[in-house]
Amino acid sequence: MRSFSCVAFVCAALWLSGCVTQPKPDYTQFFEHQPHSILVVPPANKTTAVDAPAVFLTTVSAAFGERGYYVFPVFLVQDILNDLGATDEGAIAAIPPSKFKEIFGADSILYVTITDWTTSYIVIASNIIVGAEYRLVDAGTGAVLWTGKQKVVHDGG
C-alpha cells in the first residue's frame, strides 16, 4: 500500500509539473535598440568536443540571416579577431562591445556558449544533443538586448 501511494504521489507531481508555464522572455531592450546587423563572435566551448565551435558557427548565422538581419561572415570575423590576438573565448570576452562597433560597424554582438555537445549511438542511428546559451549585446552601449538558452536533439537516422 505504501509503495502504491508513493507511485501515485510521483505521478501526480509529474502531471502537475506539466501545467507550469515558462516565463516569457523580455524583448523591451531589443525593440528599443532595433539592431540591423549582428556580429557573431566565435563561441565559448564548455564541452569536450573540439570541433563544436566550427560546426556551430556554420549554422548559427543562417537563422539570423533568414530573419532579415545582416550577419557578418563568421569565419572572416574569426580571422580578424585572430589577427588582433583574440584567439580564445577569454580574450574575446575581454574586448569591450564598443571596440567591435569601431572595427566592424556592427549594431549588436552575439555571444554564444556551447554547453552540451553529446553524440549517442544506437546500433545504426545516432543522436546529437546540442545545448547553447545566447547573449545579444548592443555594440554601442553594451546593454544586453536578449538572452536565451536552447537544447536541440538532431536525429542522425
Side-chain angles (χ1 to χ4, degrees):
M1 182 68 177
R2 181 173 166 86
S3 64
F4 175 74
S5 61
C6 287
V7 170
F9 176 75
V10 169
C11 289
L14 288 174
W15 180 71
L16 289 174
S17 69
C19 299
V20 176
T21 59
Q22 296 293 325
K24 292 189 177 188
D26 183 19
Y27 293 114
T28 55
Q29 286 286 335
F30 182 81
F31 290 127
E32 284 177 13
H33 292 265
Q34 293 190 355
H36 297 287
S37 62
I38 298 174
L39 177 77
V40 180
V41 296
N45 188 10
K46 302 297 181 195
T47 69
T48 58
V50 177
D51 60 339
V55 174
F56 193 84
L57 267 180
T58 61
T59 59
V60 71
S61 60
F64 292 104
E66 289 172 355
R67 286 171 177 77
Y69 296 99
Y70 175 75
V71 181
F72 291 84
V74 291
F75 290 110
L76 178 63
V77 169
Q78 187 174 18
D79 286 344
I80 291 171
L81 290 174
N82 286 341
D83 289 344
L84 295 173
T87 56
D88 63 348
E89 62 238 22
I92 292 170
I95 299 173
S98 59
K99 192 70 172 172
F100 286 113
K101 185 166 185 73
E102 178 186 324
I103 294 171
F104 296 99
D107 294 333
S108 59
I109 306 140
L110 181 68
Y111 296 96
V112 180
T113 302
I114 301 171
T115 58
D116 190 10
W117 193 280
T118 309
T119 305
S120 60
Y121 299 98
I122 306 167
V123 186
I124 59 171
S126 66
N127 287 336
I128 300 173
I129 301 168
V130 179
E133 296 176 356
Y134 306 92
R135 185 170 50 102
L136 188 67
V137 175
D138 184 77
T141 63
V144 176
L145 304 179
W146 171 78
T147 60
K149 291 181 181 180
Q150 186 177 24
K151 190 169 265 195
V152 177
V153 178
H154 175 72
D155 182 15

